[in-house]
Amino acid sequence: MAPILQNCVGNERTEYIEHEEVHVKNPHLDSMEEDILYHFNLGTRTHNLPAMFGDIKFVCVGGSANRMKAFAQFIHTELGLAEDINAIEDICAGTDRYSMYKVGPVLSISHGMGVPSISIMLHELIKLLHHARCRDVTLVRIGTSGGVGLEAGTVVITDKAVDSFLRPQFEQVVLGKVIVRSTELDENLAQELLQCSTEIPNLPAVIGNTMCTHDFYEGQGRLDGALCSFSTEDKLEYLRKAHEAGVRNIEMESTVFAAMCRVCGLKAAVICVTLLNRFEGDQISTPHEVLIEYQQRPQCLVSHFIKKRLGLLN
């Protein structure tokens, strides 16, 4: 069955409109008396979502719950907010799926690992922003990745998210049909983030394509999993092909993140630091304290970007 291309089909708008509220792409929601955001433990009847989230301008998402809590505490300090940092609480404490922290105009949310996990989170996040009547929201995924021809510690700002076939698209099976959506991210936002990186000492950053896979081991060409169906030469040939196609890192969430944000008209970026160069190996042997510093680099970049947008930099 041939895939159905839904880049600009029907009501799946892809342009960005300034000063407009966040829109969902589901007409069935209009007939629902209540929308239960099950995995967030929130709902339109049980919570005043506009009062709770209406001032959100930046949403930062990442895989680890602990890391997103640490980011919330970090951005609290960076923004110089008066509230007690210890008062930051997990809004989703009633569920064990995701964690969510609100710090001024910034929302910090964990999304777990892989496309299915972040997809569920994004459905409910976009509906949350819609119900809260948020405007001009920027979404950023921050995380870690394997580098392709880059030194460990390099921050990659994604141009296009590509699949394992190096195609800039995300395929979703819907009612037995394959729906294909574009995964291009906002070019101006990527350039703005790259400029911010030049204003931060010791923060190497590049713009490049990011490959999104459905697996950490065989799907990323690793030789160290419980299963391996290819040779070292096969792996290196695949990585060389990806590098020639502009791929600079590999992770597991970017295609669906880019596709869903694009369809809903949300400006979005993906910023991931590389923990190793995959041409040189598969296992991460860098000392823990160095990895911690690497993991903080996307957070520092996003913080600088947010403060610059809010006019808080001298």
Side-chain angles (χ1 to χ4, degrees), residues 281-293:
D282 298 327
Q283 295 201 333
I284 300 170
S285 58
T286 305
H288 178 70
E289 61 273 14
V290 177
L291 290 177
I292 293 298
E293 193 275 323

Side-chain angles (χ1 to χ4, degrees), residues 70-81 103 106 302-303 306:
F71 174 74
Q73 294 170 335
F74 172 67
I75 201 68
H76 181 281
T77 301
E78 289 286 290
L79 296 182
L81 299 180
V103 182
V106 181
V302 173
S303 170
I306 290 175

Side-chain angles (χ1 to χ4, degrees), residues 19-79:
H19 311 302
E20 187 169 287
E21 291 182 1
V22 174
H23 288 281
V24 293
K25 297 296 179 178
N26 181 0
H28 302 287
L29 294 179
D30 294 336
S31 61
M32 294 170 54
E33 295 183 3
E34 178 183 13
D35 189 4
I36 299 172
L37 308 180
Y38 172 72
H39 300 88
F40 285 168
N41 196 36
L42 296 170
T44 54
R45 181 174 292 175
T46 55
H47 297 80
N48 187 339
L49 299 181
M52 294 174 66
F53 301 103
D55 61 339
I56 290 297
K57 296 297 182 184
F58 307 95
V59 180
C60 300
V61 304
S64 165
N66 288 337
R67 192 180 303 160
M68 297 319 292
K69 180 179 181 179
F71 174 74
Q73 294 170 335
F74 172 67
I75 201 68
H76 181 281
T77 301
E78 289 286 290
L79 296 182

